[in-house]
Amino acid sequence: MSKIQNVPDGRFYTRDHEWALVSSDEEQTFTVQVGITDYAQSELGDVVFVDLPQVGTSVEKGDVLLSVESVKAVSDVYAPFSGEVIGVNEELASQPELVNSDAYDTGWMVSMSVARDRGCAQQKELLSASAYREFVSEQSK
Amino acid sequence: MDQLKKTILFNEHLNSGARMVEFGGWNMPVQYTGIVLEHMAVRQSVGLFDVSHMGEIEVYGEDSIAFLNYLCSNNVDKLTPGVAQYNLLLNERGGVIDDIIVYCLASRRFLLCVNAGNTEKVNAWIDLQAKAAVERNQSLEWRNCSGQWSQVAVQGPLSESVVISAIEQLGFTKDQTGRVEGMKSFHFAAFGEEIETPEVIVAATGYTGERGFEIFIRNKDAVVLWRLLLALVEARAGRACGLGARDTLRLEAALPLHGHELSPERSVVGSNVFWAVKTKKSDFIGKDAVLADSGSRVLVGLTVRGSGVIREGYEVALSDGKVVGEVTSGTKTPFLQKAVALAYVDREVNSAVAEQDNLSLVVRVRGRDVPVEITELPFYKVPGKIVTKG
């Protein structure tokens, strides 16, 4: 499957090639898992190090959440929502290449807790899977 | 990407699905299957590179030795036919215009292999210097023949059998392939009807830190050779390799890259190739500057302690914040699986660190101070390999 087509439904996307998956839904907050898309990992090349944030870090939407080091360069990953980091993928410390081989699943990076009211508003600014597919098609022309 | 130069092998790379990038004015493959896979192939079996973007300049004539000995930093007069030598073209300030390899084809006939991005500058420089020599009644001829040569590199522990099989399939005789068997580092064999115009040059040189060969071949035969080599390489679990792996390999081997560790603005004195500057020989361009320079900064290897990756342009500092150096190349390399770098640091700091255990260095990485330690170079060396320097 080409990188452009490999964009799973049921998630949100950004123009910076991040994906956000709502993984649980409470009264006041929801939990979002964040990673980078298959297209992004393919453009980056072999990932050698993922500089993950500390659990407990608060971020605003658009802040640099973490950075990904590939052999050739370093790339920033931005927070798709405002919230608090509640978990990070510790497997990436010993296996950064999971970002390349499995960007949407075992290559996940951070999970965040997002306040419901702000979160719902911010969610409207994100792209659906089909909108992201179209965006990436345009990018790679 | 339309104004970029293409090698004869360009379509081969497209057909292999290579990702292409601009490099030194050329449209070159940066990777085929992935930098890590390609790097590991060279360390573990064999890799194949298109290096046709490199430039070739012929220098010959009665006074060619005297001329090259003046132009270049190493002892060119020690060369004999079939031997190659690493050289630096210095400017009057002791900076490096280019690092090159000089191949001695015959007693008064040389081929210079120069970096792709510097071919025009080197050509203009040689033109300038050679014309001045001719004015002084030196008997000299020179020619930029880059347009006639393609070049490929076969690097890795299985490289010799690959090269020999390939040239056998090209029709080389047992006598000819015998010249490649067990070829010593920095030696080469030229093949063809005339010494003056070889068709193929097979040299035991390379830019990866592994046993390997670089093959110069006339453009008309380049595609055939590439396809033969690729089939042989892949049959031995090897891969075609691009510029990405070329860079990570040379970094592990601590081989300098012009534009990073070497440049016209930085004195060669602090570099790790100062051994190629023979200050005892008769006059050469840059000699006075080199003799007068004590080298305020010196090239060292750095390894990151803990996590993080350090890259070109990042500052090296003491723990109190004083900047004492600059990284010129760095990444986390595939074979070593460590974040390593080459950096120039103040000479006194390098000496002090050697003497005091508690003098620590950090590298500024986007606002964070990453602790590093000075590491002996090279980071990687083939076990048991004796690195011979001409």
Side-chain angles (χ1 to χ4, degrees), chain B residues 112-130:
Chain B
L112 276 53
C113 181
V114 310
N115 279 309
N118 291 329
T119 306
E120 298 310 318
K121 285 188 206 113
V122 170
N123 208 47
W125 177 248
I126 291 181
D127 231 32
L128 184 70
Q129 300 299 331

Side-chain angles (χ1 to χ4, degrees), chain A residues 16-19 32-36 44 47 49-54 57-60 62-70 74-80 85 87-89 92 96 99 107-112, chain B residues 366 368:
Chain A
D16 294 308
H17 309 287
E18 290 106 16
W19 57 261
V32 180
Q33 208 183 50
V34 180
I36 65 172
L44 278 181
V47 173
F49 176 63
V50 184
D51 198 0
L52 293 165
Q54 303 269 44
T57 308
S58 285
V59 288
E60 287 297 302
D63 282 353
V64 174
L65 183 56
L66 62 109
S67 52
V68 178
E69 302 265 3
S70 65
V74 58
S75 239
D76 287 329
V77 174
Y78 304 96
V85 175
V88 298
N89 184 354
L92 297 181
V99 174
W108 71 274
M109 293 179 176
V110 158
S111 62
M112 305 175 51
Chain B
R366 293 186 306 284
R368 184 163 74 97

Side-chain angles (χ1 to χ4, degrees), chain A residues 41-49 51 67-76 93-94 96-97, chain B residues 19 30-31 34-37 243-244 247-248 307-311 314 330-332 334 365-366 368:
Chain A
Q41 69 76 20
S42 165
E43 290 295 293
L44 278 181
D46 295 310
V47 173
V48 294
F49 176 63
D51 198 0
S67 52
V68 178
E69 302 265 3
S70 65
V71 178
K72 297 296 296 167
V74 58
S75 239
D76 287 329
S94 53
E97 62 275 9
Chain B
R19 178 175 306 189
V30 68
Q31 65 173 59
I35 295 176
V36 170
L37 288 171
L243 295 179
D247 193 35
T248 50
S307 64
V309 177
I310 59 180
R311 299 187 188 267
Y314 294 5
T331 187
K332 186 171 174 190
V365 180
R366 293 186 306 284
R368 184 163 74 97

Side-chain angles (χ1 to χ4, degrees), chain B residues 55-337:
Chain B
E56 292 84 6
I57 299 173
E58 277 172 24
V59 177
Y60 52 100
E62 198 51 42
D63 295 309
S64 52
I65 297 174
F67 172 69
L68 287 174
N69 227 12
Y70 176 71
L71 186 76
C72 306
S73 65
N74 208 338
N75 290 322
V76 177
D77 57 351
K78 298 259 193 315
L79 286 173
T80 52
V83 181
Q85 188 186 68
Y86 182 74
N87 263 280
L88 300 162
L89 295 179
L90 300 179
N91 57 31
E92 307 287 1
R93 301 179 309 278
V96 181
I97 295 171
D98 200 19
D99 62 332
I100 69 174
I101 300 203
V102 176
Y103 297 79
C104 178
L105 293 174
S107 72
R108 275 164 179 64
R109 194 168 197 100
F110 300 87
L111 182 70
L112 276 53
C113 181
V114 310
N115 279 309
N118 291 329
T119 306
E120 298 310 318
K121 285 188 206 113
V122 170
N123 208 47
W125 177 248
I126 291 181
D127 231 32
L128 184 70
Q129 300 299 331
K131 282 180 177 148
V134 164
E135 300 266 302
R136 296 191 301 268
N137 291 321
Q138 285 195 343
S139 168
L140 195 59
E141 299 198 45
W142 65 101
R143 203 161 62 89
N144 180 357
C145 50
S146 305
Q148 286 131 50
W149 287 108
S150 290
Q151 195 185 352
V152 298
V154 183
Q155 302 280 310
L158 305 180
S159 54
E160 188 174 302
S161 67
V162 164
V163 170
I164 289 176
S165 296
I167 61 180
E168 266 171 1
Q169 290 181 53
L170 280 180
F172 280 50
T173 63
K174 275 277 174 257
D175 270 349
Q176 292 176 316
T177 60
R179 292 168 67 194
V180 176
E181 250 164 68
M183 186 185 278
K184 291 205 288 207
S185 180
F186 275 86
H187 285 239
F188 69 92
F191 302 95
E193 294 291 312
E194 316 280 336
I195 292 279
E196 285 80 26
T197 52
E199 294 292 301
V200 182
I201 297 171
V202 177
T205 51
Y207 194 51
T208 60
E210 294 297 327
R211 171 88 173 129
F213 297 85
E214 292 176 318
I215 305 174
F216 296 82
I217 189 155
R218 298 293 177 182
N219 290 339
K220 62 180 170 55
D221 303 313
V223 171
V224 169
L225 176 64
W226 175 265
R227 289 180 184 173
L228 284 174
L229 287 169
L230 187 58
L232 290 164
V233 158
E234 287 177 345
R236 283 164 179 70
R239 290 171 190 265
C241 305
L243 295 179
R246 184 165 163 83
D247 193 35
T248 50
L249 287 159
R250 69 97 192 165
L251 179 60
E252 284 185 344
L255 298 170
L257 174 61
H258 193 271
H260 293 241
E261 290 72 42
L262 304 173
S263 85
E265 290 74 40
R266 191 195 289 278
S267 169
V268 70
V269 173
S271 75
N272 68 336
V273 289
F274 189 55
W275 57 264
V277 180
K278 304 299 197 221
T279 52
K280 292 200 169 63
K281 70 171 183 172
S282 61
D283 196 28
F284 59 94
I285 302 175
K287 181 177 182 179
D288 291 341
V290 159
L291 288 174
D293 187 348
S294 52
S296 57
R297 279 200 173 164
V298 63
L299 189 77
V300 298
L302 296 177
T303 304
V304 167
R305 273 205 192 115
S307 64
V309 177
I310 59 180
R311 299 187 188 267
E312 175 193 353
Y314 294 5
E315 287 179 334
V316 183
L318 298 176
S319 39
D320 66 7
K322 177 171 179 231
V323 174
V324 295
E326 181 201 352
V327 177
T328 49
S329 300
T331 187
K332 186 171 174 190
T333 66
F335 181 80
L336 299 170
Q337 304 241 15

